């Protein structure tokens, strides 16, 4: 009996150790799956192959249900690594990949994690966000402070959108695009109310202001460093700006706004990267941003913002230098609602002020439908 | 009988300990959250932002859409990783190497 206890005790301890290691192992990253060696099976890969037609029927039958998940963006019929016809699911999240069925009516399912598929509209339409436009100009275009030239450099950003302040239409952009020259330093002047705002920005006309057109006049508000928005506005010059507030490759927007939410699909139209799309990856962000005191100038201050919107910006594909001032809107086709004012970022991350905070700061509303 | 019960208990404890030590999110000692994630982030944000190399803090989601606290760092070194929490009051923490956040104005040399 004692011996039995001893054997049982040892066995259970061994079992515990095995289970323990097993669970430890299962909580780590799973080993990279190894695809079985491709079978050298010759398959007729056309739709005339009855087995492929059969899989296409399965695909057609299940596609509506599969695509009811917003992270499933497409299906197809494919040939798997064993040379057998299979249903292919295109998904945009690990969640959707994990939830994908292994088989559909006996047909194997392959899952491909991919970026969201977007129309390359800016390429196909050839819309320029840097060229001098014929007035009245559309927004989402290159622009800036007329005198933004100092220390051997010129600077520019994006004339992002149109807002209304007490019935007066103003271009909305960033403080650091319109009025961050706060020392006489390299150009013997500081930004002031009444200064001209030009299109395109100096950077797109070889720093020669004679090639630009005046489209608005600055209303200096010195939002930074004290407020929580990197925003500035300029009264439009009659006839120089599309009064509907239309934005290049986006069109008119809604007069109402919407709060950001994690996973929300968004887009923007800006000077450097044109029309681009991404999704909100973070909310209520606290971030610090360092500012210069003029174009290519010295350090002015470091501002710590709270309550900001974070957007995925892998390899600066969504937002890059020169896109500051762009309006962040929801990614819908018709009259999208404004979400934020883009102003900062890095090669992985873009940051926007919530549009509600911006409009409150100016006592403004969006110009839109 | 008592020996068998104790052995079973020990086995269970060992098994649980094994799972716990393998979960990277539990490195900082995860408990069930007592406070909502915004309250927790606000309570810790000043200390996190005061950490050298931290560029920002936000609320986001893990890959499985669980709300988490994101810490953005300029450069993710082993030393910095070891100073940052992996959970905060039971909420998961994700660390992202973002680089510095800069105003995205463009500038070019004056070649006139």
């Amino acid at each position: 009996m004692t011996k039995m206890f001893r054997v049982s005790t040892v066995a259970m301890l061994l079992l515990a150790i095995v289970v323990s290691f097993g669970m430890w192992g299962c909580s780590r990253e799973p080993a990279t799956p190894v695809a079985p060696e491709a079978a050298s099976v010759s398959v007729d890969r056309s739709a005339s192959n009855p087995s492929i037609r059969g899989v296409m029927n399965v695909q057609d039958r299940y596609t509506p249900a599969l695509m009811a998940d917003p992270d499933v963006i497409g299906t197809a019929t494919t040939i798997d690594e064993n040379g057998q016809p299979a249903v292919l699911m295109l998904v945009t999240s690990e969640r959707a990949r994990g939830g994908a069925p292994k088989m559909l009516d006996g047909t194997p399912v392959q899952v491909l994690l991919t970026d969201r598929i977007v129309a390359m509209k800016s390429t196909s339409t050839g819309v320029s966000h840097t060229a001098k436009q014929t007035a009245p100009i559309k927004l989402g275009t290159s622009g800036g402070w007329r005198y933004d030239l100092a220390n051997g450099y010129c600077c520019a950003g994006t004339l992002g959108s149109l807002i209304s302040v007490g019935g007066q239409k103003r271009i909305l952009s960033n403080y650091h695009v319109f009025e961050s020259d706060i020392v006489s330093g390299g150009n013997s002047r500081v930004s002031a109310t009444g200064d001209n705002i030009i299109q395109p920005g100096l950077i797109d006309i070889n720093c020669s202001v004679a090639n630009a057109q005046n489209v608005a006049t600055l209303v200096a508000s010195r939002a930074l460093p004290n407020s929580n928005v990197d925003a500035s506005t300029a009264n439009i010059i009659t006839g120089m700006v599309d009064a509907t507030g239309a934005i290049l490759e986006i069109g008119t927007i809604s007069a109402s706004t919407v709060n950001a939410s994690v996973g929300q699909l968004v887009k923007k139209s800006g000077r450097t990267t044109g029309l681009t799309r991404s999704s909100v990856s973070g909310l209520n962000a606290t971030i610090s941003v360092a500012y210069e005191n003029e174009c290519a100038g010295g350090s002015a201050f470091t501002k710590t913002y709270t309550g900001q919107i974070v957007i995925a910006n892998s390899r600066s594909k969504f937002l890059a230098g020169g896109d500051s001032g762009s309006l962040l809107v929801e990614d819908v086709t018709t009259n999208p609602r404004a979400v934020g004012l883009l102003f900062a970022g890095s090669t992985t991350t873009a940051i926007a002020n919530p549009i509600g905070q911006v409009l409150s700061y100016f006592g403004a509303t969006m110009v839109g439908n | 009988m008592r020996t068998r019960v104790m052995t079973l208990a020990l086995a269970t404890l060992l098994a649980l300990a094994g799972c716990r030590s393998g979960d990277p999110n539990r490195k900082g000692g995860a408990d069930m959250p007592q406070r909502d994630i915004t309250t927790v982030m606000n309570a810790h944000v000043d200390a996190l932002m005061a950490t050298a190399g931290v560029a920002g803090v936000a609320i986001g989601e893990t890959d499985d859409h669980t709300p988490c606290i994101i810490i953005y760092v300029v450069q993710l070194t082993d030393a910095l990783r070891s100073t940052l929490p992996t959970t905060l009051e039971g909420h998961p923490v994700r660390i992202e190497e973002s680089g510095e956040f800069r105003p995205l104005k463009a500038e070019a040399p004056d070649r006139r």
Side-chain angles (χ1 to χ4, degrees):
Chain A
M1 194 65 178
T2 310
K3 191 176 180 182
M4 276 182 67
F5 268 136
R6 224 173 260 159
V7 170
S8 165
T9 303
V10 170
M12 290 186 92
L13 278 169
L14 280 172
L15 177 67
I17 291 164
V18 168
V19 171
S20 169
F21 274 101
M23 292 181 79
W24 180 73
C26 76
S27 67
R28 292 187 153 190
E29 287 289 312
T32 307
V34 179
E37 297 232 342
S40 53
V41 179
S42 178
V43 177
D44 175 2
R45 300 183 177 213
S46 73
S48 60
N49 180 336
S51 61
I52 288 183
R53 270 210 313 277
V55 171
M56 291 170 77
N57 289 337
V58 172
Q59 177 207 341
D60 290 344
R61 199 157 55 244
Y62 282 94
T63 290
L66 293 172
M67 292 192 68
D69 181 338
D71 287 353
V72 178
I73 58 169
T75 67
T77 295
T78 187
I79 304 293
D80 70 13
E81 63 270 25
N82 297 316
Q84 298 305 312
V87 172
L88 177 67
M89 285 176 64
L90 301 171
V91 303
T92 59
S93 71
E94 289 287 353
R95 179 194 60 75
R97 181 157 72 170
K102 299 282 184 285
M103 306 281 278
L104 289 171
D105 288 352
T107 300
V109 175
Q110 298 238 304
V111 185
L112 182 63
L113 186 62
T114 180
D115 288 331
R116 194 158 285 278
I117 298 167
V118 297
M120 298 298 181
K121 194 173 177 184
S122 59
T123 304
S124 59
T125 59
V127 172
S128 172
H129 293 255
T130 55
K132 184 178 181 181
Q133 295 184 41
T134 301
I137 66 160
K138 288 184 167 48
L139 299 159
T141 187
S142 168
W145 182 51
R146 184 178 176 89
Y147 310 101
D148 214 356
L149 172 65
N151 308 305
Y153 286 81
C154 61
C155 288
T158 295
L159 310 180
S161 59
L162 209 56
I163 62 173
S164 176
V165 182
Q168 169 66 50
K169 289 177 179 172
R170 296 185 188 178
I171 295 174
L172 174 64
S173 187
N174 294 137
Y175 161 89
H176 76 270
V177 173
F178 280 0
E179 53 173 306
S180 64
D181 191 325
I182 54 175
V183 294
S184 57
N187 54 4
S188 302
R189 69 183 299 151
V190 298
S191 59
T193 293
D195 288 349
N196 281 310
I197 298 299
I198 56 172
Q199 192 281 327
L202 288 174
I203 192 174
D204 294 309
I205 44 177
N206 295 317
C207 305
S208 299
V209 73
N211 296 327
Q213 56 188 332
N214 295 327
V215 295
T217 55
L218 177 64
V219 182
S221 59
R222 296 287 185 258
L224 292 180
N226 295 324
S227 84
N228 198 43
V229 292
D230 183 347
S232 183
T233 61
N235 289 329
I236 63 170
I237 296 172
T238 305
M240 296 306 293
V241 179
D242 187 328
T244 68
I247 298 170
L248 289 171
E249 301 194 89
I250 288 178
T252 55
I253 64 168
S254 170
S256 57
T257 62
V258 63
N259 290 332
S261 57
V262 174
Q264 180 183 34
L265 300 179
V266 289
K267 61 184 176 181
K268 75 97 192 53
S269 175
R271 177 254 170 205
T272 306
T273 55
L275 175 67
T276 55
R277 293 177 161 89
S278 187
S279 60
V280 173
S281 60
L283 295 174
N284 205 20
T286 298
I287 59 146
S288 291
V289 181
Y291 287 88
E292 295 180 340
N293 54 16
E294 64 180 347
C295 184
S299 175
F301 53 83
T302 295
K303 172 70 184 175
T304 299
Y305 294 90
T306 58
Q308 302 302 296
I309 303 166
V310 184
I311 306 100
N313 188 35
S314 177
R315 286 171 285 168
S316 300
K317 284 183 178 173
F318 176 69
L319 196 77
D323 285 329
S324 267
S326 304
L327 187 70
L328 183 73
V329 300
E330 60 182 341
D331 189 5
V332 298
T333 306
T334 307
N335 294 326
R337 291 172 294 180
V339 177
L341 172 63
L342 290 154
F343 72 99
S346 69
T347 54
T348 66
T349 307
I351 309 291
N353 299 138
I355 196 65
Q357 287 187 22
V358 175
L359 295 176
S360 294
Y361 179 78
F362 294 109
T365 55
M366 297 306 306
V367 171
N369 296 319
Chain B
M1 188 63 186
R2 186 183 295 168
T3 308
R4 193 171 287 175
V5 169
M6 286 179 69
T7 306
L8 187 60
L10 181 61
T12 307
L13 276 173
L14 275 169
L16 288 173
C19 186
R20 191 176 180 85
S21 65
D23 181 348
N25 278 338
R26 291 178 184 269
K27 201 170 87 180
D31 300 312
M32 286 300 291
Q34 300 295 310
R35 302 197 287 177
D36 71 82
I37 195 165
T38 303
T39 303
V40 171
M41 186 192 74
N42 290 340
H44 292 270
V45 69
D46 288 346
L48 290 170
M49 291 295 288
T51 305
V54 171
V57 180
I59 292 172
E61 287 183 350
T62 61
D63 286 345
D64 65 1
H65 298 286
T66 303
C68 72
I69 294 167
I70 306 174
I71 302 174
Y72 300 98
V73 300
V74 175
Q75 187 176 15
L76 185 54
T77 61
D78 289 343
L80 181 55
R81 187 190 290 275
S82 69
T83 66
L84 296 175
T86 53
T87 63
L88 281 172
E89 299 187 28
H91 294 284
V93 168
R94 202 172 86 208
I95 300 170
E96 285 192 14
E97 189 174 76
S98 62
E100 283 182 23
F101 295 127
R102 302 172 184 277
L104 290 178
K105 190 175 183 177
E107 63 181 38
D110 181 4
R111 299 189 196 282
R112 289 173 298 165

